[in-house]
Coordinates of all heavy atoms in Angstrom, one line a residue:
M1 N -53.3 232.1 147.3 CA -53.1 232.1 148.8 C -51.9 231.4 149.2 O -51.1 231.9 150.0 CB -54.4 231.6 149.5 CG -54.3 231.6 151.0 SD -54.5 233.2 151.6 CE -54.6 232.9 153.3
P2 N -51.6 230.2 148.7 CA -50.4 229.5 149.1 C -49.1 230.2 148.8 O -48.1 230.1 149.6 CB -50.4 228.1 148.4 CG -51.8 227.9 148.0 CD -52.4 229.3 147.8
V3 N -49.0 231.0 147.7 CA -47.8 231.7 147.4 C -47.6 232.8 148.4 O -46.5 233.0 148.9 CB -47.9 232.3 146.0 CG1 -46.7 233.2 145.7 CG2 -48.0 231.1 144.9
V4 N -48.7 233.5 148.8 CA -48.6 234.6 149.8 C -48.1 234.0 151.1 O -47.3 234.5 151.8 CB -49.9 235.3 149.9 CG1 -49.9 236.3 151.1 CG2 -50.3 236.0 148.6
F5 N -48.7 232.8 151.5 CA -48.3 232.2 152.7 C -46.8 231.8 152.7 O -46.1 232.0 153.7 CB -49.2 230.9 152.9 CG -49.0 230.2 154.2 CD1 -49.3 230.8 155.4 CD2 -48.4 229.0 154.2 CE1 -49.1 230.1 156.6 CE2 -48.2 228.3 155.4 CZ -48.5 228.9 156.6
L6 N -46.4 231.3 151.6 CA -44.9 230.9 151.4 C -44.0 232.1 151.6 O -43.0 232.0 152.2 CB -44.7 230.2 150.1 CG -43.3 229.7 149.8 CD1 -42.9 228.6 150.7 CD2 -43.2 229.2 148.3
I7 N -44.4 233.2 151.0 CA -43.6 234.4 151.1 C -43.6 234.9 152.6 O -42.5 235.3 153.1 CB -44.2 235.5 150.2 CG1 -43.9 235.1 148.7 CG2 -43.5 236.9 150.5 CD1 -44.6 236.0 147.7
I8 N -44.7 234.9 153.3 CA -44.8 235.3 154.6 C -43.9 234.4 155.5 O -43.1 234.9 156.3 CB -46.2 235.4 155.1 CG1 -47.0 236.5 154.4 CG2 -46.3 235.6 156.7 CD1 -48.5 236.5 154.6
I9 N -44.1 233.1 155.4 CA -43.3 232.2 156.2 C -41.8 232.3 155.8 O -40.9 232.3 156.7 CB -43.8 230.7 155.9 CG1 -45.2 230.6 156.5 CG2 -42.9 229.7 156.6 CD1 -45.4 230.8 157.9
G10 N -41.5 232.5 154.5 CA -40.1 232.6 154.1 C -39.5 233.9 154.7 O -38.4 233.9 155.1
A11 N -40.3 235.0 154.7 CA -39.8 236.2 155.3 C -39.5 236.1 156.7 O -38.4 236.5 157.2 CB -40.8 237.3 155.0
A12 N -40.4 235.4 157.5 CA -40.2 235.2 158.9 C -39.0 234.3 159.2 O -38.1 234.6 160.0 CB -41.5 234.6 159.5
A13 N -38.9 233.2 158.4 CA -37.8 232.3 158.6 C -36.5 232.9 158.2 O -35.5 232.8 158.9 CB -38.0 231.0 157.8
G14 N -36.5 233.7 157.1 CA -35.3 234.4 156.7 C -34.9 235.4 157.7 O -33.7 235.6 158.0
F15 N -35.8 236.1 158.2 CA -35.5 237.2 159.2 C -34.8 236.5 160.4 O -33.8 237.0 160.9 CB -36.8 237.9 159.6 CG -36.5 238.9 160.7 CD1 -36.0 240.2 160.4 CD2 -36.9 238.6 162.0 CE1 -35.7 241.1 161.4 CE2 -36.7 239.6 163.0 CZ -36.1 240.8 162.7
I16 N -35.5 235.5 161.0 CA -34.9 234.8 162.2 C -33.5 234.2 161.8 O -32.6 234.4 162.6 CB -35.9 233.7 162.6 CG1 -37.1 234.4 163.2 CG2 -35.2 232.8 163.7 CD1 -38.3 233.4 163.5
A17 N -33.4 233.6 160.7 CA -32.1 233.0 160.3 C -31.0 234.0 160.2 O -29.9 233.8 160.6 CB -32.2 232.2 159.0
T18 N -31.3 235.2 159.5 CA -30.3 236.2 159.3 C -29.9 236.8 160.6 O -28.8 237.2 160.8 CB -30.7 237.3 158.3 OG1 -32.0 237.8 158.7 CG2 -30.9 236.7 156.9
R19 N -30.9 236.9 161.5 CA -30.5 237.5 162.9 C -29.7 236.5 163.7 O -28.8 236.9 164.4 CB -31.8 237.9 163.6 CG -32.6 239.0 163.0 CD -31.7 240.2 162.7 NE -32.4 241.2 162.0 CZ -32.2 241.5 160.7 NH1 -31.3 240.8 160.0 NH2 -32.9 242.4 160.0
L20 N -30.0 235.3 163.6 CA -29.2 234.3 164.3 C -27.8 234.2 163.8 O -26.9 234.0 164.6 CB -29.9 232.9 164.2 CG -31.2 232.6 165.0 CD1 -31.8 231.3 164.7 CD2 -30.9 232.7 166.5
M21 N -27.6 234.4 162.5 CA -26.3 234.3 161.9 C -25.6 235.7 161.9 O -24.6 235.8 161.3 CB -26.4 233.7 160.5 CG -26.9 232.3 160.5 SD -26.0 231.1 161.4 CE -24.4 231.1 160.5
R22 N -26.3 236.7 162.4 CA -25.8 238.1 162.4 C -25.4 238.5 161.0 O -24.3 239.0 160.8 CB -24.6 238.2 163.4 CG -25.0 238.0 164.8 CD -23.8 238.3 165.8 NE -24.3 238.2 167.1 CZ -24.1 237.2 168.0 NH1 -23.4 236.2 167.5 NH2 -24.5 237.2 169.2
M23 N -26.4 238.5 160.1 CA -26.2 238.8 158.7 C -27.1 239.9 158.4 O -28.3 239.8 158.6 CB -26.4 237.6 157.9 CG -26.1 237.7 156.4 SD -26.4 236.1 155.7 CE -26.2 236.5 154.0
E24 N -26.6 241.0 157.8 CA -27.5 242.1 157.4 C -27.8 241.9 155.9 O -26.9 241.9 155.0 CB -26.8 243.4 157.6 CG -26.6 243.8 159.1 CD -27.9 243.9 159.8 OE1 -28.9 244.4 159.3 OE2 -27.9 243.5 161.0
T25 N -29.1 241.8 155.5 CA -29.5 241.6 154.1 C -30.7 242.5 153.9 O -31.4 243.0 154.8 CB -29.8 240.2 153.8 OG1 -30.9 239.7 154.7 CG2 -28.7 239.2 154.0
D26 N -31.0 242.7 152.6 CA -32.2 243.4 152.2 C -33.4 242.5 152.3 O -33.3 241.3 152.5 CB -32.1 244.1 150.8 CG -31.8 243.0 149.7 OD1 -31.6 241.9 150.0 OD2 -31.9 243.4 148.5
V27 N -34.6 243.0 152.1 CA -35.8 242.3 152.2 C -35.9 241.1 151.2 O -36.3 240.0 151.6 CB -37.1 243.2 152.1 CG1 -38.4 242.4 152.1 CG2 -37.1 244.3 153.2
V28 N -35.6 241.4 150.0 CA -35.7 240.3 149.0 C -34.7 239.2 149.3 O -35.1 238.0 149.2 CB -35.4 240.9 147.6 CG1 -35.4 239.8 146.5 CG2 -36.4 242.0 147.2
T29 N -33.5 239.5 149.7 CA -32.6 238.4 150.0 C -33.0 237.7 151.3 O -32.9 236.4 151.3 CB -31.2 239.0 150.2 OG1 -30.8 239.8 149.1 CG2 -30.1 238.0 150.5
T30 N -33.6 238.4 152.2 CA -34.1 237.7 153.4 C -35.2 236.7 153.1 O -35.2 235.6 153.6 CB -34.6 238.8 154.4 OG1 -33.5 239.6 154.8 CG2 -35.1 238.1 155.7
I31 N -36.1 237.2 152.3 CA -37.2 236.3 151.9 C -36.7 235.1 151.1 O -37.1 233.9 151.3 CB -38.3 237.0 151.0 CG1 -39.0 238.1 151.9 CG2 -39.3 236.1 150.4 CD1 -39.9 239.0 151.2
A32 N -35.7 235.3 150.2 CA -35.2 234.2 149.4 C -34.4 233.2 150.3 O -34.6 232.0 150.1 CB -34.2 234.8 148.3
I33 N -33.7 233.7 151.2 CA -33.0 232.8 152.2 C -34.0 232.0 152.9 O -33.8 230.8 153.1 CB -32.1 233.7 153.1 CG1 -30.9 234.2 152.4 CG2 -31.7 232.8 154.3 CD1 -30.1 235.2 153.2
G34 N -35.1 232.6 153.4 CA -36.1 231.9 154.1 C -36.8 230.8 153.3 O -37.0 229.7 153.7
I35 N -37.2 231.2 152.0 CA -37.9 230.2 151.2 C -37.0 229.0 150.8 O -37.3 227.9 150.9 CB -38.4 230.9 149.9 CG1 -39.6 231.9 150.3 CG2 -38.9 229.9 148.9 CD1 -40.0 232.8 149.2
F36 N -35.8 229.3 150.3 CA -34.8 228.3 149.9 C -34.4 227.5 151.1 O -34.2 226.2 151.1 CB -33.7 228.8 149.1 CG -34.1 229.3 147.8 CD1 -33.9 230.6 147.4 CD2 -34.6 228.4 146.9 CE1 -34.3 231.0 146.2 CE2 -35.0 228.8 145.6 CZ -34.8 230.1 145.2
G37 N -34.2 228.1 152.3 CA -33.9 227.4 153.5 C -35.0 226.5 153.9 O -34.7 225.3 154.4
A38 N -36.2 226.9 153.8 CA -37.4 226.0 154.1 C -37.4 224.8 153.2 O -37.7 223.7 153.6 CB -38.7 226.8 154.0
L39 N -37.1 225.0 151.9 CA -37.1 223.9 151.0 C -36.0 222.9 151.3 O -36.2 221.7 151.4 CB -36.9 224.4 149.5 CG -38.1 225.2 148.9 CD1 -37.7 225.8 147.6 CD2 -39.3 224.3 148.8
I40 N -34.8 223.4 151.6 CA -33.7 222.5 152.0 C -34.0 221.8 153.3 O -33.8 220.6 153.4 CB -32.4 223.3 152.1 CG1 -32.0 223.8 150.7 CG2 -31.3 222.5 152.7 CD1 -30.8 224.9 150.7
G41 N -34.5 222.6 154.3 CA -34.8 222.0 155.6 C -35.9 221.0 155.5 O -35.9 219.9 156.1
G42 N -36.9 221.2 154.6 CA -38.0 220.3 154.5 C -37.6 219.0 153.8 O -38.0 217.9 154.3
V43 N -36.7 219.1 152.8 CA -36.2 217.9 152.2 C -35.3 217.1 153.2 O -35.5 215.9 153.3 CB -35.4 218.2 150.9 CG1 -34.7 217.0 150.4 CG2 -36.4 218.7 149.8
A44 N -34.5 217.8 153.9 CA -33.6 217.1 154.8 C -34.4 216.4 155.9 O -34.1 215.3 156.3 CB -32.6 218.1 155.4
L45 N -35.4 217.1 156.4 CA -36.3 216.6 157.5 C -37.0 215.3 157.0 O -37.2 214.3 157.7 CB -37.3 217.6 158.0 CG -38.1 217.2 159.2 CD1 -37.2 216.9 160.4 CD2 -39.0 218.3 159.6
R46 N -37.6 215.4 155.7 CA -38.3 214.2 155.2 C -37.3 213.0 155.0 O -37.7 211.9 155.3 CB -38.9 214.5 153.8 CG -40.1 215.4 154.0 CD -40.7 215.7 152.6 NE -41.8 216.7 152.8 CZ -42.9 216.5 152.2 NH1 -43.2 215.5 151.5 NH2 -43.9 217.4 152.4
V47 N -36.1 213.3 154.6 CA -35.1 212.2 154.5 C -34.8 211.6 155.8 O -34.8 210.4 156.0 CB -33.8 212.7 153.7 CG1 -32.7 211.6 153.8 CG2 -34.1 213.0 152.3
L48 N -34.6 212.5 156.8 CA -34.3 212.0 158.1 C -35.4 211.2 158.7 O -35.2 210.1 159.3 CB -33.9 213.2 159.0 CG -33.5 212.9 160.5 CD1 -32.2 212.1 160.5 CD2 -33.4 214.2 161.3
L49 N -36.6 211.7 158.6 CA -37.8 211.0 159.1 C -38.0 209.6 158.4 O -38.4 208.6 159.0 CB -39.1 211.8 159.0 CG -39.2 213.0 159.9 CD1 -40.4 213.8 159.6 CD2 -39.2 212.5 161.4
T50 N -37.7 209.6 157.1 CA -37.8 208.3 156.4 C -36.8 207.3 156.9 O -37.2 206.2 157.1 CB -37.7 208.6 154.9 OG1 -38.7 209.5 154.4 CG2 -37.8 207.3 154.1
L51 N -35.6 207.8 157.0 CA -34.5 206.9 157.5 C -34.8 206.4 158.9 O -34.6 205.2 159.2 CB -33.2 207.5 157.4 CG -32.7 207.8 156.0 CD1 -31.3 208.6 156.1 CD2 -32.5 206.5 155.2
T52 N -35.2 207.3 159.8 CA -35.5 206.9 161.2 C -36.7 206.0 161.3 O -36.8 205.1 162.1 CB -35.6 208.1 162.1 OG1 -36.7 209.0 161.6 CG2 -34.3 208.8 162.2
S53 N -37.7 206.3 160.4 CA -38.9 205.4 160.4 C -38.6 204.0 160.0 O -39.1 203.0 160.5 CB -40.1 206.0 159.6 OG -39.7 206.0 158.2
I54 N -37.6 203.9 159.0 CA -37.2 202.6 158.6 C -36.4 201.9 159.7 O -36.6 200.7 160.0 CB -36.3 202.7 157.3 CG1 -37.2 203.1 156.1 CG2 -35.6 201.4 157.0 CD1 -36.3 203.5 154.9
A55 N -35.6 202.6 160.4 CA -34.8 202.1 161.5 C -35.7 201.7 162.6 O -35.6 200.6 163.2 CB -33.8 203.1 162.0
F56 N -36.7 202.5 163.0 CA -37.6 202.2 164.0 C -38.5 201.0 163.6 O -38.9 200.2 164.5 CB -38.5 203.4 164.4 CG -37.7 204.4 165.2 CD1 -37.8 205.7 164.9 CD2 -36.9 204.0 166.3 CE1 -37.1 206.7 165.6 CE2 -36.2 205.0 167.0 CZ -36.3 206.3 166.7
G57 N -38.8 200.9 162.4 CA -39.6 199.7 161.9 C -38.8 198.5 162.1 O -39.3 197.4 162.5
F58 N -37.5 198.5 161.8 CA -36.6 197.4 161.9 C -36.5 197.0 163.4 O -36.6 195.8 163.8 CB -35.2 197.6 161.4 CG -34.3 196.5 161.5 CD1 -34.4 195.4 160.8 CD2 -33.2 196.6 162.4 CE1 -33.5 194.3 160.9 CE2 -32.3 195.5 162.6 CZ -32.5 194.4 161.8
V59 N -36.3 198.0 164.3 CA -36.2 197.7 165.7 C -37.5 197.1 166.2 O -37.5 196.2 167.0 CB -35.9 199.1 166.5 CG1 -36.0 198.9 168.0 CG2 -34.5 199.5 166.2
G60 N -38.6 197.6 165.7 CA -39.9 197.1 166.1 C -40.1 195.6 165.7 O -40.6 194.8 166.4
A61 N -39.6 195.4 164.5 CA -39.7 194.0 164.0 C -38.8 193.0 164.8 O -39.3 191.9 165.1 CB -39.2 194.0 162.5
V62 N -37.6 193.5 165.2 CA -36.8 192.6 166.0 C -37.4 192.4 167.4 O -37.5 191.3 167.9 CB -35.4 193.3 166.2 CG1 -34.6 192.5 167.2 CG2 -34.6 193.3 164.8
L63 N -38.0 193.5 168.0 CA -38.6 193.3 169.3 C -39.8 192.4 169.2 O -40.1 191.6 170.1 CB -39.0 194.7 169.8 CG -37.9 195.6 170.3 CD1 -38.4 197.0 170.7 CD2 -37.1 195.0 171.4
G64 N -40.6 192.5 168.1 CA -41.7 191.7 167.9 C -41.3 190.2 167.8 O -42.0 189.3 168.4
A65 N -40.2 190.0 167.1 CA -39.7 188.6 166.9 C -39.2 188.1 168.3 O -39.5 186.9 168.6 CB -38.6 188.6 165.9
V66 N -38.5 188.9 169.0 CA -38.1 188.5 170.4 C -39.3 188.1 171.3 O -39.3 187.1 172.0 CB -37.2 189.6 171.0 CG1 -36.9 189.3 172.5 CG2 -35.9 189.7 170.2
L67 N -40.3 188.9 171.2 CA -41.5 188.7 172.0 C -42.2 187.4 171.6 O -42.6 186.5 172.4 CB -42.5 189.8 171.9 CG -43.8 189.7 172.6 CD1 -43.6 189.6 174.1 CD2 -44.8 190.8 172.2
L68 N -42.2 187.1 170.3 CA -42.8 185.9 169.8 C -42.0 184.7 170.2 O -42.6 183.7 170.6 CB -42.9 186.0 168.3 CG -43.6 184.8 167.6 CD1 -45.0 184.7 168.0 CD2 -43.5 184.9 166.1
I69 N -40.7 184.8 170.2 CA -39.8 183.7 170.6 C -40.0 183.4 172.1 O -40.1 182.3 172.6 CB -38.3 184.0 170.3 CG1 -38.1 183.9 168.8 CG2 -37.4 183.0 171.1 CD1 -36.8 184.4 168.4
W70 N -40.1 184.5 172.9 CA -40.4 184.4 174.4 C -41.7 183.7 174.6 O -41.8 182.8 175.5 CB -40.3 185.7 175.0 CG -40.6 185.7 176.5 CD1 -39.8 185.3 177.5 CD2 -41.9 185.9 177.1 NE1 -40.4 185.4 178.7 CE2 -41.7 185.7 178.5 CE3 -43.1 186.3 176.7 CZ2 -42.8 185.9 179.4 CZ3 -44.2 186.5 177.6 CH2 -44.0 186.2 178.9
V71 N -42.8 184.1 173.9 CA -44.1 183.5 174.1 C -44.0 182.0 173.7 O -44.5 181.1 174.4 CB -45.2 184.2 173.3 CG1 -46.5 183.4 173.2 CG2 -45.4 185.6 173.9
Y72 N -43.4 181.7 172.6 CA -43.2 180.3 172.2 C -42.5 179.5 173.2 O -42.9 178.4 173.5 CB -42.5 180.3 170.8 CG -42.2 178.9 170.3 CD1 -43.2 178.1 169.8 CD2 -41.0 178.3 170.4 CE1 -43.0 176.8 169.4 CE2 -40.7 177.0 170.0 CZ -41.7 176.3 169.5 OH -41.5 175.0 169.1
R73 N -41.4 180.0 173.7 CA -40.6 179.2 174.7 C -41.3 179.1 176.0 O -41.2 178.0 176.7 CB -39.2 179.9 174.9 CG -38.2 179.7 173.8 CD -36.9 180.3 174.2 NE -35.9 180.1 173.2 CZ -34.7 180.6 173.2 NH1 -34.4 181.4 174.2 NH2 -33.9 180.3 172.3
T74 N -42.1 180.1 176.4 CA -42.7 180.1 177.7 C -44.0 179.2 177.7 O -44.2 178.4 178.6 CB -43.1 181.5 178.1 OG1 -42.0 182.3 178.1 CG2 -43.8 181.5 179.4
Y75 N -44.8 179.2 176.6 CA -46.1 178.6 176.6 C -46.2 177.4 175.7 O -47.1 176.5 175.9 CB -47.2 179.6 176.3 CG -47.3 180.7 177.3 CD1 -46.8 182.0 177.0 CD2 -47.8 180.5 178.5 CE1 -46.9 183.0 177.9 CE2 -47.9 181.5 179.5 CZ -47.4 182.7 179.1 OH -47.5 183.8 180.1
F76 N -45.4 177.2 174.7 CA -45.6 176.1 173.7 C -44.5 175.1 173.7 O -44.7 174.0 173.2 CB -45.8 176.7 172.3 CG -47.0 177.6 172.3 CD1 -46.9 179.0 172.2 CD2 -48.3 177.0 172.4 CE1 -48.1 179.8 172.1 CE2 -49.4 177.8 172.3 CZ -49.3 179.2 172.2
Q77 N -43.3 175.5 174.0 CA -42.1 174.5 173.9 C -42.1 173.6 175.1 O -42.3 174.0 176.3 CB -40.8 175.3 173.9 CG -39.7 174.4 173.4 CD -38.4 175.3 173.3 OE1 -38.3 176.3 173.9 NE2 -37.5 174.8 172.4
K78 N -42.0 172.3 174.9 CA -42.0 171.3 176.0 C -40.6 170.8 176.2 O -39.7 170.7 175.5 CB -42.9 170.2 175.6 CG -44.3 170.7 175.5 CD -45.2 169.5 175.2 CE -46.6 170.1 175.1 NZ -47.6 169.1 174.9

């Protein structure tokens, strides 16, 4: 079942991509473009999400530290 699903999704993605790029291809090439494009796009998206999650984690850590310093200065420092 997953292989059939991959072929169907690849065919749809390849069809849309070839139409957007105004490229005329046969069915096999369209499916191949869709499948390999999905693999490339999936890897790129995972890398991007990993990098942004690290960046957002860092921003969150800085904001948490700033909040902690504010609480300390406001309520505990004399």
Side-chain angles (χ1 to χ4, degrees):
M1 182 71 172
V3 173
V4 173
F5 184 70
L6 180 65
I7 292 171
I8 292 170
I9 296 298
F15 176 78
I16 292 170
T18 55
R19 294 308 171 255
L20 287 173
M21 298 302 293
R22 294 186 173 104
M23 184 176 172
E24 295 295 325
T25 59
D26 60 348
V27 174
V28 175
T29 304
T30 301
I31 292 172
I33 288 171
I35 291 172
F36 289 117
L39 291 173
I40 293 168
V43 169
L45 187 59
R46 285 181 188 228
V47 169
L48 182 65
L49 288 175
T50 301
L51 292 176
T52 56
S53 67
I54 291 170
F56 287 134
F58 179 71
V59 170
V62 171
L63 291 176
V66 168
L67 178 65
L68 185 62
I69 291 170
W70 177 80
V71 168
Y72 175 75
R73 284 184 176 175
T74 304
Y75 296 107
F76 299 108
Q77 194 175 25
K78 294 182 181 182

